[in-house]
Amino acid sequence: MTLSALILIPFFGGLLCWLSERLGAGVPRWIALITMSLVLAIGVNLWLTGDYSSVAGTGGLNWQVEEQYSWIPLLGVSIHFGIDGLSLVMVLLTGLLGVVAVGCSWKEINKNVGAFHMNLLWSLAGVLGVFLALDMMLFFFFWEMMLIPVYFLIALWGSSAHNGAVRVKAATKFFIYTQVGGLVMLVGILALVVVNYKATGQITFAYETLLNTHKLMSQELQFILMLCFFIGFAVKLPIVPVHAWLPDAHAEAPTAGSVDLAGILLKTAGYGMLRFTLPFFPDASQEFANTAMLLGVFGIFYGAFLAFVQTDIKRLIAYTSISHMGFVLIGIYSGNLLTLQGLAIQMLAHGLCAGGLFILAGQLYERLGTRDMREMGGLWARFTYLPPLLMFFAAALLGIPGTANFIGEFLILLGAFKVVPVLTIIATASLVLAGVYSLILIHRTLFGQPTSEQKLAELSAREISLVVSLAVILLVIGFYPQPLLNVSVDAMTFIQQTYAPADVSVPLPIGGAASPVAP
Amino acid sequence: MNLSFETFLPLAPVILLSLTAVLVMLAVSIKRNHCVSYWITIAGQLAALVSIFALDGFAVDRVATPVTDLILIDGHAYFYGALVIFASLVCTVFLRNFIESYGNNKEEVYMLLLIAAVGGLVLVSSSHMAGFFIGLELLSVPVYGMVAYTHERSRSLEAGVKYLILSAAASAFLLFGMALVYAQTGTMLFADLADKLAEHGGYLAGFGIAMIVIAMCFKLSLAPFHLWTPDVYQGAPAPVGALLATASKLAIIAILIRFLGHITSDLTAVLQPVLAVIAIVSIAVGNFLALTQTNLKRMLAYSSIAHMGYLLIALIAGNSVDVVSANVYLLTYVVTSLAAFGAISALSHGGNALDAEEVNHYRGLFYRSPALAVALTLVMLSLAGIPLTAGFIGKFYIFMTGVTTSSWILLAALIIGSGLGLYYYLRVMVALYDRTGNSQADNVPAARASVAIVILLVVLVLWLGVYPQPALEFINTLH
């Protein structure tokens, strides 16, 4: 029941938000906050009660909690949830950023508060479904379902800087990109099911059954289906040729929408690649790995360069996301335990860091009425708390040691070096660019000639506590990542062993019971 | 042949509907009363619907029963028949509010509707060229009248005439095709067609069959035979549009499925690539032309062209028609389209010069009529084929057909078409929540009965989308 509760709580919480709007604008906010705190609490409870590093080394799947209900037996579809370390990390991130997203819209959203929170919570429910589903049809349902609320968030509550048409355009672009990607993936899913059906006579969408399907098909077919899955996830990650929706969507989304998008939605794609693309098509993925990593490196530089020239602060952060997702792609396709473990941290860190930056950008916008960095400058003198916080997050963005971002990038690069040394060296060079865009962000906003001497409204306790809590978590993971590594080790070992069994002989240097360096 | 009561019993729905039409006519001639005609129509259609179940129409052990040579009744015929009656029943309810404010005679429209429904029932169960033609004409001719019923509106009259002429042209094609087939094979029975074709194969019969299929494409408004569709949809009163989009399309698809099942495989092999091109062109034309429409009815017309293109994939992808996919798609499409046109009907009145058909009419509908707006949102999502709505289940089956038969090009068309489709469906959807001033909202109160039916249909859309198992099981057991 726990796992369905994780999805049903935000779903019904959202409904309640909508219905309770007539009682006053405050009611939906509190309901949403309580709902997301509940989700976070359940996530933490799953963390504390589960044992996510028990089968390390054997390379088996380690579902801590599993639930299954009958749904459409005719098509072999069931409602099947399961949670392992990888899902848990993602669920924790979703719960945390969910709370933060509700918190940061407290003052920003003033029209149709109930409906706003309904959409926010429903999108989170969809995301949680994606992280928990173990049935491909169910997964696809959630994958598509989370788009609609996000579409509404952008189209109806988006930035007031432009008129509605611009917002709708951005939202539509986002929807069409991801939907078309999703349909390509649907073809992949169905083809997988049909291959399995033709070979075994059993029609099923179950994850664990389909894991063996790749043995039943030719190399070419495997490669094509892998591409179907890859395209579906690539659009969402996003990878450079199909990234065009991201900056627009971020620029037009409300703060909570941006936090939701950058922090959580992008991670569903990384999760999907790890959970589905690699284990479903291990051989084809290896064949494709070099191309994917090249795309990743290209994305890193492309994102970094474009981030540098942005004048809109939210667009700048959006492009840094593209850059960071390039690292994620390299991590995924390097496929040894080091990178995979680093990946879990990197995704978490990027979610928290981008979320924090978007919240700060939202707070700046609330006070200055602009997101254009050319009109900022000299803000250091006009605030007390905001500048150091912005500075901290900018530093985290460039991956300074002591923050979780450093751990993630470090592990990914360390692991990838064993596989593709040249590419890794090139990718490492991009860290300089990360420094450049982070510094230019700080430079343009905080330093220089202030446009006016007048002090701006100080951050409230709510705003400070939101951002500071994100910062603290980044620091804690940065200094002591071991608990998190222990959580993800089983799931990652499984992925690593299906993807690249040859690598098993290499000692596993981090995490869990298999670690030679015992914690 | 022995004709007895039992022989005609399977025709009970047809007979009941015909009797109702006569009854409505008599009632009108005694005293004109809108309410009486309406309730007679409703009761007659309900009785026909009940009779299908009373006859155990969907029993698993049911064998196909011929009623003379013209009609063959099987589970599929009853399934399509039930859908036709359901669609016309729903249209009746939409019609009532619409026609209430119409200045001229109101009652005859029900009679026309009933005759069209009879035509639909005959068409879906015919097993003979004559039955085919009679059913088709019986379905089409009353619809000309219905399209032009509000003849004070010039668009309505224009649409009626347009539909009449082009339909007649299509019927001429059909007849000539039948004549050619008969000339070569000497049979009009579907059941003998395959044998006779194999025996006396030749260009003449092949040509004839091609002409029959072309006539069907006309009626289904598949590109490049689609030119009448947007004008007729726009000109027709909204409830009649609902009938055109659902009952009429559905009956023609049904007979097409039956007909294609009876022709030889070497003919199918010739037809297949042609129909595949037609499907792709329809998907492209429908979606591209819908992109710029600001008129909801025209948009739905173009989108129906695209939807027929999707449906055609189920008919032609494999070596044989994938009947289950087609049926699932039809069911979801009919329910969704009825709801879409129902929403337009609910806001339209026969007495006005125009229906509520511009997208601008719907701007900010959420703040005037929240229930209808939410319903319309779900309808748009269903038309776009988003999960948790019926539309997704339909599209899912088409995808499944495409994948099992490895029709990658058709699948690519389906994916691109769906992507394009999102653009205009989303545009309507977001307009519903637009708060900016709305000059064209004349604050027409939404008709309650129509809104209630739309909501019921949307509940059905959600139910089919969330828990399709019972419906799918039912369609799978049909034979």
Side-chain angles (χ1 to χ4, degrees):
Chain A
M1 228 15 238
T2 333
L3 300 183
S4 350
L6 268 179
I7 294 157
L8 290 177
I9 288 174
F11 178 79
F12 284 110
L15 218 53
L16 212 60
C17 284
W18 187 42
L19 296 174
S20 67
E21 190 179 356
R22 60 193 64 182
L23 301 177
V27 184
R29 292 189 180 123
W30 280 106
I31 293 178
L33 191 64
I34 293 166
T35 310
M36 284 325 291
S37 312
L38 213 55
V39 169
L40 184 59
I42 294 176
V44 171
N45 185 43
L46 281 169
W47 183 14
L48 297 177
T49 55
D51 178 7
Y52 297 92
S53 53
S54 58
V55 300
T58 67
L61 285 159
N62 178 15
W63 307 119
Q64 281 302 306
V65 186
E66 226 182 317
E67 281 173 33
Q68 191 162 13
Y69 311 98
S70 166
W71 186 17
I72 319 177
L74 197 70
L75 297 174
V77 175
S78 61
I79 298 180
H80 191 175
F81 298 120
I83 192 167
D84 66 353
L86 177 59
S87 310
L88 180 73
V89 172
M90 294 299 154
V91 168
L92 288 175
L93 177 69
T94 312
L96 185 67
L97 286 181
V99 173
V100 170
V102 174
C104 74
S105 357
W106 211 267
K107 286 271 159 57
E108 186 190 337
I109 303 298
N110 291 313
K111 52 179 191 183
N112 296 52
V113 183
F116 172 83
H117 285 95
M118 179 177 79
N119 280 310
L120 186 61
L121 292 189
W122 281 11
S123 74
L124 293 172
V127 172
L128 286 166
V130 165
F131 291 145
L132 297 174
L134 284 186
D135 182 288
M136 293 316 290
M137 180 90 157
L138 186 67
F139 165 77
F140 187 76
F141 261 63
F142 283 120
W143 178 262
E144 298 277 291
M145 217 186 84
M146 65 188 177
L147 303 180
I148 305 163
V150 176
Y151 171 82
F152 278 122
L153 284 183
I154 299 173
L156 301 180
W157 289 276
S159 144
S160 43
H162 306 289
N163 61 7
V166 182
R167 290 201 305 264
V168 172
K169 202 175 149 205
T172 309
K173 199 167 169 184
F174 157 74
F175 201 113
I176 292 179
Y177 263 86
T178 38
Q179 171 78 14
V180 171
L183 288 177
V184 174
M185 185 167 68
L186 179 65
V187 171
I189 294 175
L190 288 177
L192 202 61
V193 170
V194 168
V195 168
N196 184 56
Y197 172 68
K198 283 186 178 157
T200 64
Q202 179 204 10
I203 184 161
T204 177
F205 282 76
Y207 174 66
E208 288 182 36
T209 317
L210 294 179
L211 277 178
N212 300 316
T213 308
H214 66 86
K215 293 170 193 152
L216 305 170
M217 52 181 141
S218 66
Q219 278 298 315
E220 293 80 36
L221 184 63
Q222 199 187 129
F223 194 79
I224 292 170
L225 298 192
M226 186 276 305
L227 271 186
C228 286
F229 272 74
F230 181 78
I231 290 170
F233 293 128
V235 171
K236 196 67 154 279
L237 196 55
I239 291 169
V240 162
V242 285
H243 67 289
W245 61 270
L246 183 84
D248 290 348
H250 272 307
E252 299 304 321
T255 305
S258 289
V259 172
D260 202 359
L261 264 175
I264 312 168
L265 255 68
L266 304 191
K267 306 302 174 295
T268 58
Y271 171 86
M273 285 193 181
L274 284 174
R275 172 75 80 214
F276 302 113
T277 318
L278 295 194
F280 277 163
F281 314 104
D283 312 330
S285 298
Q286 280 194 335
E287 210 178 306
F288 187 64
N290 282 332
T291 318
M293 282 191 267
L294 271 175
L295 283 172
V297 171
F298 183 70
I300 293 176
F301 282 94
Y302 178 90
F305 278 119
L306 263 79
F308 178 73
V309 295
Q310 298 304 315
T311 52
D312 181 329
I313 184 164
K314 281 183 94 174
R315 274 183 179 271
L316 188 151
I317 306 168
Y319 277 108
T320 67
S321 291
I322 296 179
S323 180
H324 280 96
M325 289 305 127
F327 276 107
V328 169
L329 202 58
I330 293 180
I332 291 172
Y333 279 91
S334 302
N336 57 39
L337 196 58
L338 262 178
T339 56
L340 293 175
Q341 285 281 59
L343 209 58
I345 307 262
Q346 166 82 357
M347 295 211 277
L348 198 64
H350 176 260
L352 298 173
C353 177
L357 280 169
F358 275 121
I359 293 173
L360 289 169
Q363 291 168 352
L364 276 177
Y365 179 74
E366 275 177 45
R367 285 164 178 78
L368 297 169
T370 176
R371 295 193 317 248
D372 192 334
M373 286 187 289
R374 286 167 300 190
E375 294 170 28
M376 295 182 185
L379 292 179
W380 194 283
R382 301 172 70 191
F383 282 110
T384 318
Y385 299 112
L386 194 141
L389 282 169
L390 188 62
M391 205 145 171
F392 171 82
F393 279 101
L397 192 66
L398 71 86
I400 224 158
T403 59
N405 307 54
F406 171 73
I407 307 285
E409 279 172 22
F410 180 72
L411 287 179
I412 290 178
L413 291 173
L414 199 60
F417 187 71
K418 286 200 248 173
V419 188
V420 278
V422 179
L423 269 181
T424 313
I425 292 168
I426 300 172
T428 312
S430 79
L431 291 178
V432 177
L433 295 176
V436 172
Y437 63 64
S438 300
L439 289 177
I440 203 78
L441 168 66
I442 302 174
H443 180 78
R444 285 190 186 145
T445 49
L446 302 183
F447 301 108
Q449 205 57 41
T451 44
S452 112
E453 290 301 318
Q454 200 188 345
K455 278 269 181 189
L456 288 158
E458 204 44 72
L459 297 189
S460 67
R462 168 185 63 87
E463 291 171 319
I464 293 178
S465 58
L466 280 178
V467 186
V468 167
S469 59
L470 291 179
V472 168
I473 295 169
L474 278 176
L475 283 173
V476 169
I477 302 174
F479 279 105
Y480 188 48
Q482 192 61 41
L484 259 179
L485 294 172
N486 285 342
V487 165
S488 59
V489 66
D490 272 5
M492 293 307 190
T493 311
F494 170 74
I495 293 163
Q496 188 267 326
Q497 298 207 351
T498 45
Y499 176 55
D503 204 41
V504 179
S505 55
V506 179
L508 312 171
I510 39 161
S515 170
V517 205
Chain B
M1 178 178 255
N2 243 340
L3 295 181
S4 66
F5 179 70
E6 275 72 32
T7 321
F8 290 101
L9 195 58
L11 278 186
V14 179
I15 296 165
L16 280 170
L17 281 184
S18 316
L19 279 179
T20 316
V22 175
L23 220 59
V24 172
M25 190 173 69
L26 289 177
V28 171
S29 63
I30 293 167
K31 185 172 189 320
R32 272 192 185 280
N33 187 327
H34 184 201
C35 197
V36 170
S37 309
Y38 172 73
W39 284 111
I40 293 177
T41 314
I42 294 278
Q45 292 179 100
L46 280 178
L49 208 51
V50 168
S51 75
I52 290 183
F53 290 94
L55 289 167
D56 251 353
F58 306 118
V60 185
D61 52 350
R62 153 163 216 104
V63 286
T65 341
V67 182
T68 72
D69 272 349
L70 298 189
I71 304 271
L72 178 77
I73 292 198
D74 56 8
H76 283 115
Y78 272 140
F79 170 67
Y80 300 126
L83 270 181
V84 167
I85 301 176
F86 174 73
S88 74
L89 189 61
V90 169
C91 293
T92 316
V93 181
F94 295 154
L95 262 176
R96 185 190 188 191
N97 296 299
F98 179 84
I99 217 84
E100 189 75 64
S101 63
Y102 177 63
N104 251 318
N105 293 339
K106 306 178 177 104
E107 293 75 10
E108 282 80 356
V109 75
Y110 296 116
M111 212 169 68
L112 293 173
L113 180 85
L114 286 166
I115 298 172
V118 172
L121 284 183
V122 172
L123 189 58
V124 300
S125 48
S126 57
S127 61
H128 188 276
M129 297 286 191
F132 184 178
F133 188 72
I134 293 172
L136 191 65
E137 290 305 292
L138 211 49
L139 175 65
S140 309
V141 175
V143 176
Y144 309 148
M146 289 173 80
V147 170
Y149 201 82
T150 48
H151 53 84
E152 291 82 356
R153 304 173 174 183
S154 58
R155 271 195 191 288
S156 178
L157 193 59
E158 179 200 323
V161 173
K162 205 170 229 165
Y163 188 45
L164 165 74
I165 292 173
L166 288 173
S167 239
S171 297
F173 261 76
L174 182 69
L175 265 184
F176 194 53
M178 286 175 175
L180 287 178
V181 172
Y182 182 68
Q184 179 118 56
T185 63
T187 181
M188 297 250 232
L189 272 173
F190 287 0
D192 298 344
L193 211 55
D195 290 342
K196 292 277 165 64
L197 277 173
E199 205 177 311
H200 322 272
Y203 286 109
L204 218 50
F207 204 64
I209 284 173
M211 289 185 84
I212 295 175
V213 171
I214 285 176
M216 296 290 96
C217 291
F218 249 114
K219 297 280 184 181
L220 291 175
S221 60
L222 284 159
F225 312 107
H226 65 283
L227 294 167
W228 59 273
T229 323
D231 292 339
V232 172
Y233 272 49
Q234 188 187 3
V240 179
L243 192 76
L244 261 175
T246 57
S248 141
K249 293 259 160 82
L250 150 84
I252 291 162
I253 288 277
I255 191 67
L256 190 60
I257 291 175
R258 192 177 257 197
F259 182 72
L260 287 179
H262 283 296
I263 58 176
T264 48
S265 52
D266 46 333
L267 263 176
T268 330
V270 178
L271 274 179
Q272 218 169 15
V274 178
L275 286 176
V277 170
I278 290 183
I280 293 170
V281 173
S282 300
I283 293 171
V285 165
N287 281 314
F288 272 115
L289 294 181
L291 286 179
T292 53
Q293 299 303 324
T294 55
N295 183 306
L296 196 55
K297 279 178 170 177
R298 284 184 88 84
M299 191 205 91
L300 284 173
Y302 284 116
S303 109
S304 88
I305 296 173
H307 276 281
M308 287 302 129
Y310 302 148
L311 182 54
L312 204 56
I313 293 178
L315 264 54
I316 52 155
N319 292 324
S320 60
V321 174
D322 190 343
V323 184
V324 173
S325 287
N327 286 353
V328 173
Y329 198 87
L330 268 180
L331 176 67
T332 59
Y333 176 71
V334 165
V335 174
T336 312
S337 298
L338 278 176
F341 278 98
I344 302 177
S345 309
L347 295 172
S348 304
H349 293 281
N352 300 347
L354 274 179
D355 282 355
E357 54 189 56
E358 291 293 327
V359 173
N360 277 336
H361 277 110
Y362 297 85
R363 221 162 269 290
L365 182 70
F366 181 71
Y367 307 100
R368 285 175 278 142
S369 176
L372 194 62
V374 170
L376 204 53
T377 307
L378 289 166
V379 168
M380 288 299 145
L381 290 175
S382 180
L383 282 172
I386 305 293
L388 296 186
T389 59
F392 173 71
I393 300 296
K395 207 166 256 177
F396 174 85
Y397 264 86
I398 303 285
F399 266 106
M400 200 72 168
T401 310
V403 171
T404 27
T405 56
S406 315
S407 323
W408 306 118
I409 298 175
L410 290 174
L411 278 176
L414 180 55
I415 292 176
I416 295 169
S418 305
L420 287 171
L422 275 176
Y423 177 78
Y424 52 88
Y425 295 128
L426 288 180
R427 206 181 44 178
V428 174
M429 195 172 89
V430 82
L432 298 171
Y433 302 89
D434 192 346
R435 227 181 307 252
T436 52
N438 173 7
S439 53
Q440 270 178 289
D442 34 9
N443 286 321
V444 181
R448 267 199 213 135
S450 303
V451 173
I453 294 286
V454 170
I455 290 171
L456 271 181
L457 287 168
V458 167
V459 169
L460 206 56
V461 164
L462 278 180
W463 183 55
L464 283 172
V466 176
Y467 187 57
Q469 172 73 12
L472 298 182
E473 216 166 273
F474 171 73
I475 287 176
N476 261 296
T477 55
L478 280 181
H479 58 102

